[in-house]
Amino acid sequence: MSLTVLTILCISITSCIGIFIGSLKFRGIGLGVGGVLFAGLLSGYLLEHYAIVLNPEVLAFLKEFGLILFLYSMGLSVGPNIFSSLRKNGLTLNLISLSVVFLGTLCAVLIFKFSKISLPELIGLYAGAVTSTPALGSGQQILAELGENAELIEKSGFTYAIAYPFTIISSIIVFILLKLIFRVKITDEVARYEAEKVDEDPHMQGFNVLVNNPSFDGLEIGNFLKMMHYTMTISRMKRGDEYIIPHEHIKLQMGDILLIFGPRKIFQEISFLFKTDPDRDLMEESAKQIQSQTLLLTNPQRVGKPLKKILGDSKHHWVISRVIRNGISLSPTPDLKLAYADQVVVVGKTEETKPLIRYLGNDQERANDTRFIPYFLGMILGILVGLIPFHIPGVDIPLKLGTSGGPLIIAMILSYRGSLGRIVFYTPAHVLNAFKFLGILLFLAVVGLASGPGFVKLISSTEGLFFVAMGITITTVPLLIVGIFVRSTKKMNYLTLCGALSGCITSLPTMTFVANMSNTNAPALGYATVYPVTIALRVISAQVLALMLF
């Protein structure tokens, strides 16, 4: 067996064992992909014990390629949501993320200043204390750029592995402390969240109303929607015994029954204008005469086109009731620009919507295809951007974003834009998940194999206990300070707050612990809101630490 084959075999065995370890759960909490790291540590220790040597060039390739694959795919996943997450309550939540990252970085600086810990060990400790593999990869790369010794850089893997499991335990303890300090009753928090969700839910919902306001008699539907700033749409109407598809030039009449789609928060406004009819279901009544179809945008030429280009000025025998993107129903405003794989919900007779189907594409098989050329073009661009040197005042060595920062940032930009000319950068979610998982598996397996021999010695020493204590400090101090401040001043829902704090340390097991308290999606929403920004902040903060302290 060649050395290359032996190396690939060890990586495969380590990954299998690691996935199994990560799947083991205690009360719903497990290590997840972190299990691969610990399997790698064990494998590395056994390989050294039996004097088995692996191919270092293959390991270096797999580690670098895995990190690029993971970060680029991660950027494509979070890019579309990174700017929308900054709106409304998302801005507050992401300020929480910024605060936690800043305080954690400050803790790391103080630990470095007042202890004998080396910079690589600090970088690994910091990354492990927030369970951020991208931060570890970013920190290792910037240390290499700065000329740090390769053997010292490997020590970051030791401290990362030491801090990682205690992050989950210590953060859960913080959430329990917050619950005790503020005497939180989970049932009250759930009730409060459900009440808030009604007002803030962005999903479009249907309301059946009766036109009984003389002020709107004779008003064209298009002018009515314009007056309401297109926060809603009318998908069906009934006049007398006739069911009508309401194009914008139809004039409202007293006695018309309308099916209006809009976010829940507009319900009160609608109830002031028309009589609501909650017992009626116009969609079900008209189903035999009017059909609803969900069409996929798979025609690259239509990507980025606003809806007004589709609707035009002519009368249609169909109406677009909403656009579904990433599971969220959006109001079909004329200026809404369509993205690849958007689901366009159309109400109308099947034969009348055929031109629209041809226009949009509606090819499910094409939407599920992996577009490898755009995927690798974006990756190439990210790697090249990462190689561009730039200077920071006070630092003599030219710096680079590297293969961690470049692909991540470029992927976020490309996925947010959706396309460049005719090149569409959409990749199906299941493909991105597979690429992310494969990339992180390779990276963690190699880190574990390289760190295993020294890890066992370190964890059993007094120095290892010191690293455990410092990792817990980096984890708990920011979470506790920010959690107490936000709960005291903003009165934020405990479940949402803990979900956001879990996102600040990118710890899915911790978020699962909070979610199991309530059986609501409040923690998951808080986690998802801060996660995209946190990923970028952790990569940057690891590089900043290296630059400040080198």
Side-chain angles (χ1 to χ4, degrees):
M1 184 185 297
S2 70
L3 195 59
T4 298
V5 173
L6 176 63
T7 303
I8 295 173
L9 179 62
C10 285
I11 289 288
S12 300
I13 293 172
T14 299
S15 298
C16 286
I17 296 172
I19 293 169
F20 173 73
I21 293 173
S23 67
L24 300 176
K25 294 183 179 181
F26 176 73
R27 295 187 178 181
I29 299 173
L31 288 172
V33 73
V36 178
L37 174 65
F38 294 98
L41 292 171
L42 176 61
S43 299
Y45 172 75
L46 293 175
L47 288 172
E48 186 196 43
H49 181 74
Y50 291 104
I52 300 173
V53 179
L54 301 181
N55 190 321
E57 294 180 356
V58 173
L59 290 176
F61 164 75
L62 292 176
K63 178 182 176 183
E64 197 76 14
F65 180 68
L67 184 64
I68 294 172
L69 191 65
F70 170 69
L71 288 173
Y72 182 72
S73 300
M74 175 66 72
L76 290 179
S77 296
V78 304
N81 301 321
I82 195 165
F83 296 103
S84 61
S85 70
L86 297 176
R87 298 171 188 164
K88 295 184 180 179
N89 196 40
L91 179 59
T92 301
L93 292 174
N94 280 293
L95 286 175
I96 291 174
S97 174
L98 181 62
S99 301
V100 170
V101 172
F102 173 77
L103 290 173
T105 306
L106 181 60
C107 286
V109 171
L110 293 175
I111 290 170
F112 182 78
K113 293 294 185 183
F114 295 101
S115 70
K116 296 180 181 180
I117 187 172
S118 70
L119 183 54
E121 288 171 334
L122 178 74
I123 295 296
L125 190 66
Y126 173 77
V130 294
T131 65
S132 178
T133 304
L136 175 64
S138 173
Q140 288 180 336
Q141 285 184 348
I142 198 69
L143 287 173
E145 292 286 342
L146 292 170
E148 184 64 271
N149 183 281
E151 291 184 4
L152 286 176
I153 292 176
E154 280 189 6
K155 289 187 176 181
S156 61
F158 303 164
T159 51
Y160 176 86
I162 287 174
Y164 190 101
F166 294 98
T167 299
I168 299 171
I169 298 169
S170 57
S171 55
I172 288 174
I173 292 173
V174 168
F175 297 158
I176 293 172
L177 285 175
L178 289 175
K179 186 173 180 288
L180 294 174
I181 291 169
F182 294 102
R183 299 179 180 177
V184 172
K185 293 183 178 179
I186 297 300
T187 52
D188 292 344
E189 298 301 308
V190 171
R192 178 182 164 194
Y193 168 72
E194 293 296 337
E196 291 172 349
K197 187 171 70 172
V198 169
D199 296 328
E200 297 299 328
D201 189 359
H203 288 80
M204 303 278 281
Q205 300 182 41
F207 309 99
N208 294 279
V209 301
L210 172 67
V211 179
N212 63 336
N213 189 332
S215 302
F216 296 97
D217 192 23
L219 180 68
E220 286 191 351
I221 286 177
N223 291 332
F224 169 69
L225 294 175
K226 185 177 181 181
M227 182 179 70
M228 301 300 295
H229 306 290
Y230 295 100
T231 55
M232 64 187 75
T233 186
I234 302 174
S235 68
R236 289 171 171 82
M237 68 183 297
K238 183 179 182 182
R239 178 170 293 166
D241 295 327
E242 183 183 6
Y243 294 101
I244 302 171
I245 301 168
H247 63 74
E248 62 178 8
H249 297 294
I250 290 181
K251 294 181 179 180
L252 295 174
Q253 293 182 11
M254 295 285 287
D256 284 347
I257 300 171
L258 310 176
L259 175 57
I260 294 177
F261 272 96
R264 177 69 186 178
K265 61 185 179 182
I266 70 164
F267 178 77
Q268 187 174 11
E269 189 174 357
I270 290 294
S271 64
F272 287 142
L273 302 178
F274 304 118
K275 179 183 177 182
T276 59
D277 193 352
D279 296 327
R280 188 163 208 138
D281 189 345
L282 199 59
M283 183 181 295
E284 184 177 342
E285 291 179 19
S286 61
K288 292 183 178 179
Q289 300 180 37
I290 302 174
Q291 290 78 45
S292 175
Q293 301 177 74
T294 301
L295 308 179
L296 277 174
L297 175 61
T298 56
N299 186 340
Q301 297 181 8
R302 312 306 176 201
V303 174
K305 300 292 184 183
L307 276 180
K308 61 186 174 184
K309 290 285 187 181
I310 298 176
L311 298 172
D313 297 322
S314 59
K315 295 181 180 180
H316 301 289
H317 296 285
W318 47 261
V319 62
I320 296 176
S321 65
R322 58 200 181 279
V323 175
I324 303 173
R325 180 179 301 163
N326 297 324
I328 302 295
S329 298
L330 306 175
S331 180
T333 63
D335 295 327
L336 177 65
K337 293 182 179 180
L338 294 176
Y340 193 87
D342 274 355
Q343 296 173 282
V344 181
V345 181
V346 182
V347 178
K349 296 181 179 180
T350 304
E351 60 271 17
E352 300 288 351
T353 59
K354 287 181 179 178
L356 182 61
I357 293 174
R358 288 193 295 269
Y359 185 89
L360 295 175
N362 194 38
D363 189 335
Q364 181 68 58
E365 186 175 343
R366 191 173 185 181
N368 289 330
D369 285 345
T370 303
R371 311 170 77 84
F372 281 109
I373 291 179
Y375 184 89
F376 282 108
L377 280 176
M379 187 180 288
I380 291 167
L381 182 60
I383 293 171
L384 293 177
V385 168
L387 295 176
I388 298 173
F390 60 93
H391 292 270
I392 293 179
V395 180
D396 296 331
I397 302 173
L399 303 176
K400 303 171 186 176
L401 289 172
T403 52
S404 56
L408 177 65
I409 291 172
I410 292 301
M412 285 180 174
I413 294 172
L414 293 179
S415 63
Y416 178 73
R417 283 186 56 87
S419 62
L420 287 176
R422 297 287 297 275
I423 304 175
V424 176
F425 291 94
Y426 171 82
T427 304
H430 66 278
V431 175
L432 287 180
N433 288 334
F435 284 167
K436 281 190 297 183
F437 195 63
L438 175 61
I440 198 67
L441 279 180
L442 294 175
F443 180 81
L444 287 178
V446 176
V447 169
L449 287 169
S451 304
F455 175 78
V456 175
K457 298 175 185 176
L458 185 61
I459 194 66
S460 59
S461 67
T462 304
E463 189 180 9
L465 295 176
F466 170 78
F467 287 137
V468 169
M470 293 303 98
I472 290 173
T473 300
I474 295 174
T475 301
T476 57
V477 170
L479 294 181
L480 201 55
I481 291 174
V482 174
I484 290 174
F485 177 80
V486 173
R487 179 69 181 188
S488 300
T489 58
K490 298 292 185 180
K491 307 299 180 186
M492 182 175 287
N493 188 288
Y494 171 81
L495 301 172
T496 303
L497 174 60
C498 289
L501 292 176
S502 298
C504 292
I505 56 172
T506 60
S507 175
L508 190 59
T510 306
M511 188 277 291
T512 304
F513 170 80
V514 182
N516 288 341
M517 290 183 182
S518 62
N519 293 321
T520 70
N521 62 351
L525 288 175
Y527 182 94
T529 301
V530 304
Y531 186 82
V533 173
T534 299
I535 285 288
L537 289 176
R538 291 301 181 187
V539 169
I540 295 169
S541 62
Q543 293 181 336
V544 168
L545 275 174
L547 292 173
M548 287 174 56
L549 305 176
F550 182 74

